[in-house]
């Protein structure tokens, strides 16, 4: 999830560059009057990139309505729509034509329509019109009904949404109106937790600096809070409803588009232009959070109907109904809808053959059969041509029209069963399983690869404090019996009761306060972290709520809190603790943050007594080597760590030391120097840190459990037994991932883990011997019985899979498929059409691929070869763990496997970072977890827990697969058994295409007579019970191998069908040959009746034999089917209908006459028996001869032991020597990260600059950027200074300087010191100021948190200043504070400082600001913003934008 | 299928309970149907159940087969080919179209007497009455007595729809090609005085055909009047209302016509021509002896190598002579028995298989 944010942020920044660079220039220049000309030019620049054709004026409907857009020729309509959304496709009038149009967009429907039209030509009309017409009409009616039901549902939800209330400014007051009445230009008021009704320009909010927090879960699935900010100018001016009403701003911006993270616009108000970007925008569908009230102006309203395919505003895209993913890439697993054409081809061939036979026959007999040839007027060729079409019509019943629609029902039914399954209902979240796509059920039974996310999928993403070791003593949780009944932490008013760790002994020691080590241990936990405090309106408002960057930290801090060391609050340089009831304020002197190379984090504090202490926590390896000397507790701690690691706990060592004042002074000096270095600063800082982090005293170790979800190990065990390969793709670090791999039994001690070097080695070996493909295949190094696993990381993949990166075709196709949603219904349906036969094609595909690859092997590039080798190698592995992979890489890996192995892949994940993967895989499973709904929304199946996957695959998947296979096989059999007789009959009627069956029989055969048993097979059949399926995962292998439906089975079905038709036809023929008389059926109609009835009964008999799960429903289905035959035959052969149309109902009493004869019954009986018995016997023989499944367990275990002894694992540092220690800060951060960084920004210089080391990977990039930005900075500032001297400095003028350190909006900048700072700061204020109410109060609210506790006078200052006029004091107050803090804590002002300083110019303190300015320009301390450049910083979306715009900005300014 | 789409879910954020806190959980109902736990009988085909079936079927079918076979063999049947393609045949002279009317006589001897009702058939071979265009070439409405169809026959009848601007009744190729030989049977008694055998014309068509499907145009007038305005089919000698003297067997309801109109399924077929009713229990219907068949030879078949036959046959409960059905039953019974034995052997040899992992379709 974090990754996505980061990526997106980076993208946004990049994209924004060209458009924005110019715009930001325009801002300062324009109003400053430095050149109104240049302003205009700049503006045009902007226009070139994005045409600002969207023009909205606030509170001025007349103006907005004047815009028209051309619709068609000279017909114009209102350009701006109302806020009505219409996801429904049809309305009352358009339903019929539109739906019919859509339905006949289809190959098979068109085909049948064509056949029906052909039938109208008398020369070639073989079947009566209704024979094909009735099924087609049924099909269309059923589909139309379904579409109608869908659409009614959409109408209903549309109505619900459109009638939601919101407050709109009408005249001088806000009134409640429905959403649909909103218009562009309206000013609306939103309160907390309400949903944004349209895309709004944020005008003001009750939060300081007009920040507004939104949750975008419904748009992008991210649950973290994001902030939006109003322009400073609107924030300051629009302070009352009256002013709102008179607001006359005019917004010009781009047309609504689908770029959700990009927006370029411009607000024109009172003759000045203000640039707008996405940060000023509230998108429809967001939820307002933590913000009491905010005001916005509607820019984009409504949502063009999905059907008209217009560009749509953000909201619609997010909510657009495209639940079923359409696999656009034609892979064998998803064949394009050419199934019908292929059958059609077969049909054409057969018709041609028969027509040619007719031609030959005709040539010979033409002049002889006088009674016939007068009927044939045309020549041989012409008549043969006619006969060809006639046969085409006659045999069109072979194209199983009904199969498609029945398959749809079966897929739907199986999906509904998934939804209904109680065993997959997750009670804690009230989430039942949900099959969102109903077209993939059968593939669930064939999944060969599972790609799983780790966090939140395998694990609960809940880290719990499990054990600790303090001073060598291990404190584990008390056993159940000894655990006190009540909450043992009741004595502690801050205990939140979440801690499940109970250890009475430890608690006693802690409360006794005697043990110093224990005291320091908990203190270290409470101090050394980057957790933020946030207060929420909960039932206990006095309790702090922690917002941590990583769940590990939160777990640790929470544990400390429950043990009485409560972290209360933090300011920029203090940390307040409540230690067992005593409040203590620690002054933070330095914060040496965590990064992946340091693997530790330290905080240097001065405690209330005045002593300076360093608290460190980190990975055991780094901590242990930094210990003071041989510790008494060191050995026992190491033992404890080993023990923890064995239990797959995440361990962390804690240490501390006291620092004397002199040492600190010296160190501080060096730290300062290092932090202002221009080059290699990160490195220098690390060295400085390292200096300090020496000679530590070990306090102890903690063990955190990354709790697996319930049943994960079992699930994985069973899935592995089912021969499913499980790959874990995680953004986490290698240690964490491997750790989890062991915890969930994906890896075990007897598995040989391949690491990168080895993989490279093998792959090279492969490429060398690639000339000889035979040796290449086997990977000679590893005998086949050795179990392998692979652990790789994202960078390695990147290097390895060059070609995939270069041309990620498969992925791109997949992704594009999602974007092309113009006709999702169409595509889905087309796809479904093919789905019925998907397996068939898939299995064909599997068989075709080896040959294909062999052919192409010679031409393969080395990259492709290497990729193939890699995939082959990986597929040999029992488990593959990919760590540190980005969401895109996740998808690439899936695409890679799909590319080289034609197998069914399943991706499961819970967060937005899994979306790519979920979309790429054949089957996407989303977990309805805490990470928002995006994974679910892009998935095909939504589950509550990972362990339900076992049931989903092994039970539902297997069942679905088995059902669909049985259904397909049976359906093919059934169709052929009936239609093949027509061909045999052709040999006896001179190839004249005379139909064998009565029209009504053919028409109703697929509709009524055999449908119910077919559906029963597809919906209810169970060969083994759910319990058995779960207990015997081996059964699943049948699906993997495609055993139940493949070429062979297909041929069997064809042979069986042909045999049945042969028996029925020829038995009847021979018996009736040259007979006549009372009970003879030598006449055409009787003959037909006997053959048809025999066929029907044979088919029914077959279904009786294949169904293994006889319920009442089945009996009902059989009985109903046969009685349908009885009733319908009676009806269609009755005199009443005959009188109406003798031609249509020509079989008058044919059945009646035939069935009243006992001999007819005997014939039918013999036909059915002859058909059934041999098949039954064959099946019995096969079953008897079939080998039973091998006994699995014993065979598996034996050889693995061998491996372990034969081939010791050299590189796996586990067991006693190695610990799976992980300083397990998850490498991606939530919005807490944003807070942390922002907060740190406000802290003294040395603290903030430490953060830089956070992104060591990108340090080069950083260095490159630095000089540029500094130059720019310098230039800007000096420019500002220059102007100031000229006495023309305006408020606006100074803004550019801030632009560089903050995000795009200049106004926002000036409001809060910097953007980065802004949002996080708000967390603090939010916490402090629970009752931030009216507009006017805002300013003081904002100041309060910023004031450090050590400087009580400052708040007073601020309070006094705020008494002044509304807009100004704020500006003044901010710099003041900074000024005060500047000289004291740091000689070098931070990069953020220039901004406040610049603003001070505006205020009274010009002199001091001048002083401060020069150091800024020389020292170039842009450090704070540097870390955000790092693409590895996933959540720095805001910051990413900021920094990345810099070069562009600079260029344009130069 | 986009059926499960619920835009509400997506707007409101989906599964996690809406803030309203509705008490209603979304737990699926615990019913046997929804949980797929319907009580069921799971028939597993084991040797124990299947083997007896095979033997039982064998035991049932073989006796039935024998019964049918015996019954079929007891049926007396004589077939006389009178096509006349062989020069020696008395009907050879009729092959040339000049001889009209051509009457030929064929002698034959019944070795054994025919008891009970005897059916007289004519048989045609290589005659494609099941040809598609031929089958279609009729107008059932006309045959059903529809007066408008009588005068305006269906287009299907083309090119036998109208003749000389008059609608043809009955129209179409089937009617046009109606079999029109006349067969008469004479018993040559000891006294060398041939006795004509009474041939019953009625009762040879299906009751439903005669009484429901085929009807003369309604009206009180004479049949000729009712067919006024129509013309006879091209090949016919007489118009339709002159097929028989009996008004109940004339016009469209003429049974010979009805029988012909019930087209045969296969190119070699028989059609019932006459009934020879048994006179009394004491005398056989057709005593053994010499007979001659008097044929008014009208129907040309030699152009398409067809054969014309006259068949005399007694009938049993299961119709005419049909040895194949009996043989089929005996064969099926034997096969069933044989399969049972094979299964028994195989099952005996490979008994180890378990049926739990039975996932064959």
């Amino acid at each position: 999830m974090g990754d996505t944010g980061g990526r997106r942020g980076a993208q946004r920044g990049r994209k924004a560059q060209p458009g924005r660079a110019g715009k930001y220039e325009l801002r300062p220049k324009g109003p400053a009057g430095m050149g109104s000309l240049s302003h205009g030019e700049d503006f045009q620049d902007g226009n070139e990139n994005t045409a600002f054709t969207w023009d909205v004026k606030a509170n001025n409907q007349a103006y907005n309505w004047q815009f028209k857009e051309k619709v068609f020729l000279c017909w114009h309509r209102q350009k701006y729509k109302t806020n009505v959304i219409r996801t429904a496709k049809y309305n009352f009038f358009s339903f019929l034509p539109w739906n019919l149009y859509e339905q006949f967009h289809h190959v098979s429907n068109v085909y049948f329509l064509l056949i029906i039209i052909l039938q109208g030509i008398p020369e070639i009309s073989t079947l009566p019109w209704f024979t094909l017409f009735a099924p087609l009409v049924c099909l269309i009616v059923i589909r139309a009904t379904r579409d109608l039901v869908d659409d009614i549902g959409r109408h209903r939800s549309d109505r619900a949404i459109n009638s939601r209330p919101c407050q709109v400014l009408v005249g001088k007051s806000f009134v409640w109106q429905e959403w649909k009445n909103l218009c562009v230009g309206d000013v609306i008021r939103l309160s907390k937790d309400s949903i944004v009704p349209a895309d709004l320009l944020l005008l003001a909010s009750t939060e300081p600096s007009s920040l507004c927090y939104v949750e975008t879960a419904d748009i992008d699935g991210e649950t973290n809070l994001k902030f939006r900010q109003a322009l400073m100018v609107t924030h300051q001016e629009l302070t009352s409803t009256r002013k709102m009403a008179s607001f006359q701003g005019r917004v010009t911006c781009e047309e609504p588009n689908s770029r959700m993270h990009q927006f370029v616009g411009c607000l024109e108000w009172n003759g000045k232009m203000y640039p707008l970007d996405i940060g000023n925008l509230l998108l429809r569908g967001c939820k307002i959070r933590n913000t009491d009230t905010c005001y916005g102006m509607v820019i984009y309203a409504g949502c063009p109907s999905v059907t008209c395919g217009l560009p749509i505003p953000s909201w619609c895209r997010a909510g657009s109904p495209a639940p079923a993913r359409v696999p656009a890439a034609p892979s064998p697993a998803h064949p394009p809808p050419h199934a019908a054409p292929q059958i059609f081809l077969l049909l054409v061939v057969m018709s041609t053959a028969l027509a040619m036979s007719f031609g030959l026959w005709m040539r010979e007999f033409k002049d002889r059969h006088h009674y016939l040839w007068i009927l044939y007027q045309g020549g041989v060729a012409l008549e043969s041509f006619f006969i060809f079409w006639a046969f085409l019509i006659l045999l069109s019943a072979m194209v199983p029209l009904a199969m498609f629609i029945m398959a749809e029902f079966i897929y739907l039914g199986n999906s509904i069963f998934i939804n209904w399954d109680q065993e997959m209902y997750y009670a804690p979240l009230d989430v039942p399983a949900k099959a969102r796509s109903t077209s993939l059920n059968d593939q669930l039974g064939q999944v060969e690869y599972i790609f799983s996310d780790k966090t939140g999928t395998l694990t609960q993403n809940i880290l719990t404090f499990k054990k600790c070791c303090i001073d060598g003593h291990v404190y584990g949780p008390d056993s159940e019996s000894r655990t006190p009944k009540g909450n043992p932490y009741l004595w502690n008013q801050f205990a939140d009761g979440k801690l499940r760790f109970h250890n009475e002994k430890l608690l006693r020691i802690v409360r006794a306060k005697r043990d110093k080590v224990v005291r320091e241990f908990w203190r270290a936990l409470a101090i050394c972290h980057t957790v933020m405090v946030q207060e929420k309106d909960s039932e206990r408002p006095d309790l702090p709520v922690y917002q941590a960057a990583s769940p590990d930290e939160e777990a640790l801090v929470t544990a400390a809190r429950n043990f009485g060391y409560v972290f209360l609050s933090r300011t920029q340089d203090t940390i307040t603790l409540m230690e067992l009831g005593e409040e203590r304020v620690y002054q933070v002197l330095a914060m040496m943050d965590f990064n992946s190379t340091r693997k530790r984090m330290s905080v240097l504090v001065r405690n209330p007594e005045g002593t300076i202490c360093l608290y460190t926590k980190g990975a055991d390896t780094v901590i242990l080597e930094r210990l003071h000397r041989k510790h008494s507790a060191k050995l026992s701690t190491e033992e404890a760590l080993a023990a923890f690691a064995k239990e797959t706990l995440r361990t962390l060592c804690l240490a501390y030391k006291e620092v004397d004042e002199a040492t600190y002074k010296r160190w501080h000096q060096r730290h300062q120097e290092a932090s202002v270095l221009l080059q290699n600063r990160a490195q220098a800082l690390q060295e400085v840190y390292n200096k300090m982090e020496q000679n530590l005293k070990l306090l102890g170790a903690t063990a955190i459990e990354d709790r697996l979800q319930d049943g994960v190990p079992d699930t994985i065990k069973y899935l592995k037994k089912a021969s499913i390969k499980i790959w874990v793709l995680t953004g986490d670090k290698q240690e964490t991932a491997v750790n989890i791999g062991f915890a969930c039994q994906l890896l075990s001690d007897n598995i040989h883990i391949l690491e990168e070097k080895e993989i490279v080695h093998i792959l090279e070996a492969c490429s060398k011997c690639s000339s000889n493909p035979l040796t290449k295949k086997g990977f000679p190094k590893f005998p086949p019985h050795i179990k392998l696993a692979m652990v790789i990381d994202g960078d390695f993949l990147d290097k390895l899979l060059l070609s995939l990166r270069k041309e990620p075709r498969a992925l791109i196709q997949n992704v594009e498929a999602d974007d092309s949603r113009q006709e999702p219904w169409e595509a889905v349906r087309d796809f479904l059409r093919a789905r019925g036969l998907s397996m068939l094609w898939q299995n064909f595909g599997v068989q075709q691929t080896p040959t294909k690859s062999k052919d192409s092997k010679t031409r393969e590039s080395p990259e492709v070869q290497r990729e193939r080798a890699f995939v082959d190698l990986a597929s040999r592995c029992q488990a593959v763990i990919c760590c540190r992979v980005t969401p895109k890489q996740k998808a690439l890996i899936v695409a890679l496997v799909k590319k080289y192995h034609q197998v069914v892949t399943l991706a499961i994940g819970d967060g937005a970072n899994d979306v790519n993967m979920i979309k790429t895989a054949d089957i996407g499973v989303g977990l309805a977890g805490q990470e928002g709904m995006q994974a679910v929304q892009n998935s095909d199946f939504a589950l509550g827990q990972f362990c339900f996957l076992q049931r989903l695959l092994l039970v539902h998947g297997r069942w679905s697969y088995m059902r669909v296979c049985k259904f397909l096989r049976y359906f093919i059999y059934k169709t052929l058994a009936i239609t093949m007789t027509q061909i045999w009959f052709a040999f006896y009627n001179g190839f004249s295409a005379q139909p064998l069956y009565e029209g009504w029989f053919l028409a109703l055969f697929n509709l009524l007579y055999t449908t119910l048993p077919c559906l029963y097979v597809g919906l209810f059949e169970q060969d083994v019970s759910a319990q058995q399926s779960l207990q015997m995962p081996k059964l699943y292998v049948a699906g993997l191998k495609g055993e139940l439906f493949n070429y062979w089975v297909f041929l069997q079905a064809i042979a069986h069908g042909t045999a049945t038709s042969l028996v029925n036809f020829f038995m009847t023929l021979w018996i009736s040959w040259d007979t006549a008389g009372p009970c003879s059926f030598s006449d055409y109609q009787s003959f037909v009746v006997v053959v048809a009835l025999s066929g029907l009964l044979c088919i029914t008999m077959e279904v009786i034999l294949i169904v293994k799960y006889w319920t009442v429903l089945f009996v009902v289905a059989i009985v109903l089917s046969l009685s349908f035959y009885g009733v319908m035959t009676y009806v269609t052969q009755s005199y009443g209908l005959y009188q109406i149309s003798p031609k249509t109902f020509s079989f008058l009493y044919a059945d009646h006459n035939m069935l009243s004869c006992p001999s007819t019954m005997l014939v039918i009986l013999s036909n059915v028996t002859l058909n059934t018995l041999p098949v039954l016997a064959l099946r019995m023989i096969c079953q008897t001869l079939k080998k039973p499944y091998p006994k699995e367990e014993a065979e598996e275990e034996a050889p693995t032991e061998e491996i372990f002894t034969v081939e010791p694992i050299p590189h796996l540092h586990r067991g006693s020597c190695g610990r799976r220690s992980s300083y397990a800060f998850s490498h991606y951060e939530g919005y807490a990260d944003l807070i942390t960084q922002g907060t740190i920004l406000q802290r003294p210089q040395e603290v903030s600059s430490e953060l830089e080391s956070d992104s060591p990977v990108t340090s080069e990039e950083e260095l490159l950027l630095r000089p540029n930005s500094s130059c720019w900075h310098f230039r800007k500032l000096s420019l500002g200074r220059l102007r100031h001297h000229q006495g023309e400095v305006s408020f606006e003028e100074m803004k550019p300087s801030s632009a560089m350190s903050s995000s795009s909006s200049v106004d926002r900048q000036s409001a809060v010191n910097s953007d980065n700072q802004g949002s996080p700061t708000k967390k603090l204020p939010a916490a402090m100021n629970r009752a931030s109410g009216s507009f006017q109060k805002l300013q003081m609210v904002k100041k309060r948190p910023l004031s450090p506790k050590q400087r009580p006078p400052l708040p007073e200052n601020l309070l006094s200043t705020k008494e002044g006029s509304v807009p100004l004091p704020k500006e003044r107050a901010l710099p003041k504070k900074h000024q005060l803090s500047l000289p004291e804590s740091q000689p070098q002002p931070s990069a953020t400082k220039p901004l406040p300083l610049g603003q001070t110019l505006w205020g009274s303190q010009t002199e001091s600001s001048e002083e401060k300015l020069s150091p800024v320009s020389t020292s170039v301390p842009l450090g704070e913003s540097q870390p955000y450049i790092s693409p590895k910083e996933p959540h720095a979306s805001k910051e990413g934008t900021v920094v990345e715009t810099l070069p562009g900005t600079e260029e344009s300014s130069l | 299928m986009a059926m499960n789409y619920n835009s509400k879910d997506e707007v409101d954020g989906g599964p996690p309970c809406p803030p309203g806190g509705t008490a209603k959980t979304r737990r699926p109902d615990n019913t046997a149907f929804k949980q797929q736990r319907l009580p069921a009988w799971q028939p597993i085909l084991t040797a124990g159940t299947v083997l007896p079936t095979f033997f039982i079927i064998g035991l049932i079918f073989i006796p039935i087969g024998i019964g049918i076979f015996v019954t079929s063999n007891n049926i007396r049947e004589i077939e006389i080919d009178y096509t006349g393609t062989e020069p020696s045949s008395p009907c050879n002279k009729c092959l040339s179209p000049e001889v009209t009317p051509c009457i030929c006589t064929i002698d034959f001897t019944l070795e054994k007497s025919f008891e009970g009702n005897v059916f007289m058939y004519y048989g045609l071979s290589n005659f494609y009455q099941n040809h598609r265009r031929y089958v279609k070439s009729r107008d059932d409405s006309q045959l059903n007595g529809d007066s408008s169809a009588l005068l305006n026959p269906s287009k299907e009848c083309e090119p036998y729809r109208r003749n000389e601007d008059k609608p043809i009744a009955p129209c179409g190729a089937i009617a046009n090609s109606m079999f029109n030989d006349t067969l008469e049977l004479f018993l040559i008694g000891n006294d060398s005085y041939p006795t004509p055998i009474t041939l019953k014309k009625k009762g040879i068509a299906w009751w439903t055909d005669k009484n429901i499907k085929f009807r003369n145009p309604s009206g009180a007038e004479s049949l000729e009047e009712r067919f006024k305005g129509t013309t006879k089919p091209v090949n016919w000698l007489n118009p339709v209302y002159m097929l028989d003297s009996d008004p109940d067997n004339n016009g469209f309801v003429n049974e010979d016509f009805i029988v012909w109109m019930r087209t045969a399924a296969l190119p070699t077929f028989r059609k019932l021509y006459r009934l020879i009713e048994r006179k009394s229990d004491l005398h056989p219907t057709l005593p053994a002896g010499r007979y001659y068949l008097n044929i008014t030879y009208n129907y040309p078949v030699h152009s398409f190598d067809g054969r014309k036959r006259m068949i005399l046959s007694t009938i049993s409960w299961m119709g005419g002579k049909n040895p194949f059905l009996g043989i089929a039953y005996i064969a099926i019974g034997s096969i069933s028995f044989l399969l049972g034995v094979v299964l028994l052997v195989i099952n005996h040899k490979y008994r180890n298989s378990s049926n739990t992992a039975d996932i064959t379709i």
Side-chain angles (χ1 to χ4, degrees), chain A residues 1284-1297:
Chain A
H1284 164 64
H1285 285 309
Q1286 287 164 354
E1288 292 175 5
V1289 184
S1290 70
F1291 173 61
E1292 271 84 19
E1293 195 174 325
M1294 284 320 294
K1295 281 176 183 163
S1297 63

Side-chain angles (χ1 to χ4, degrees), chain A residues 266-369:
Chain A
C266 186
L267 171 69
E268 189 183 350
W269 187 26
N270 296 339
K272 290 177 187 168
M273 308 282 285
Y274 308 89
L276 302 174
D277 75 345
I278 191 75
N280 310 113
L281 220 57
L282 296 175
L283 296 182
R284 175 170 184 154
C286 295
K287 222 171 198 172
I288 306 292
R289 294 281 191 208
N290 292 7
T291 310
D292 282 330
T293 317
C294 68
Y295 299 84
M297 165 188 161
V298 179
I299 302 178
Y300 301 132
C303 171
S305 164
V306 183
T307 47
C308 59
L310 289 172
I312 46 176
S314 60
W315 184 84
C316 298
R317 216 168 346 91
S320 67
R325 158 247 326 267
V326 188
S331 75
H334 297 287
H338 57 219
Q342 287 195 5
I343 292 180
F344 178 72
L345 204 71
L346 187 76
L347 210 66
V348 169
V349 170
M350 277 162 64
S351 304
T352 316
L354 289 167
M356 277 162 64
S357 312
F358 174 80
L360 291 176
W361 191 86
M362 185 177 175
R363 208 179 288 266
E364 193 178 334
F365 288 84
K366 168 138 183 149
D367 305 321
R368 295 163 151 210
H369 289 257

Side-chain angles (χ1 to χ4, degrees), chain A residues 122-123 125-126 146 150 154 157 161 164 218 315 319 321 361 368-372 374-376 383 387 408 417 419-422 425 430 432 435 438 832 933 956 963 966 985 988-990 992-994 1020 1022-1023 1044 1069-1071 1073-1074 1076 1078 1082-1087 1108-1111 1113 1135 1138 1142-1143 1146 1148-1149 1153 1162 1165-1166 1169 1173 1177 1179-1181 1183-1185 1189, chain B residues 1-5 7 10-13 15-16 25-28 30 33-43 45-47 50 54 57 61 68 119 121 126-128 130-136 140-141 144 156 158-160 206 208 212-213 215 262-270 300 303-305 309 322 324-325 328-329 332 336 339 343 346 350 355 357-361:
Chain A
E123 270 74 25
S125 160
T126 44
R146 195 194 59 198
D150 283 357
R154 278 195 285 265
S157 76
I161 291 167
R164 282 182 187 165
D218 287 338
W315 184 84
W361 191 86
R368 295 163 151 210
H369 289 257
H370 54 86
Y371 58 99
L372 291 178
I374 198 141
L375 301 170
Y376 287 89
E383 293 295 346
I387 285 291
E408 277 182 40
F417 275 127
N419 297 348
W420 276 342
D421 194 341
Q422 224 183 2
Y425 169 75
D430 190 31
T438 55
L832 269 173
M933 293 308 296
H956 289 282
R963 285 167 182 167
K966 267 193 177 182
F985 188 50
Y988 287 89
N989 61 24
S992 61
Q994 166 67 12
F1020 302 104
Q1022 297 178 11
D1023 53 350
L1044 298 192
L1069 182 136
W1070 288 326
I1071 291 169
W1073 185 261
D1074 198 23
S1082 64
D1083 70 282
Y1084 168 69
Q1085 290 191 349
S1086 316
F1087 186 84
K1108 297 243 170 71
Y1109 186 73
W1110 279 60
T1111 61
L1113 288 174
Y1135 182 61
Y1138 180 80
K1143 215 165 64 178
S1146 56
L1148 185 65
Y1149 295 124
N1153 278 311
L1162 279 178
L1165 179 66
S1166 71
T1169 318
L1173 279 185
R1179 276 190 197 139
M1180 284 303 298
I1181 292 171
Q1183 192 184 315
T1184 318
L1185 295 182
Y1189 281 104
Chain B
M1 211 182 306
M3 200 143 174
N4 287 1
Y5 163 66
S7 69
E10 286 169 26
V11 173
D12 285 344
T25 71
R26 309 193 303 154
R27 174 185 285 276
N30 187 12
F33 176 73
K34 288 190 171 184
Q35 301 306 315
Q36 306 193 61
R37 279 189 274 104
L38 284 175
W41 175 55
Q42 291 188 273
L45 299 176
T46 61
V50 173
F54 277 93
I57 288 178
F61 270 51
I68 294 171
F119 283 22
Y121 309 96
N126 208 15
F127 189 94
Y128 285 84
N130 57 6
H131 211 87
R132 180 165 57 92
R133 296 246 174 110
Y134 183 82
V135 170
K136 270 162 79 177
D140 278 325
S141 301
N144 195 231
E156 306 272 4
E158 292 287 6
Y160 297 108
W206 284 7
T208 50
I212 298 169
K213 197 170 180 180
R215 282 180 182 179
R262 178 160 286 279
T263 53
L266 301 163
T268 298
F269 58 89
R270 293 177 187 186
S303 69
F304 52 88
D305 294 336
R309 293 160 298 155
N322 192 348
F324 186 82
L325 187 61
Y329 262 80
I332 292 171
S336 173
L339 284 174
L343 271 183
I346 289 177
Y350 304 87
N355 289 304
D358 170 33
I359 49 164
T360 49
I361 294 187

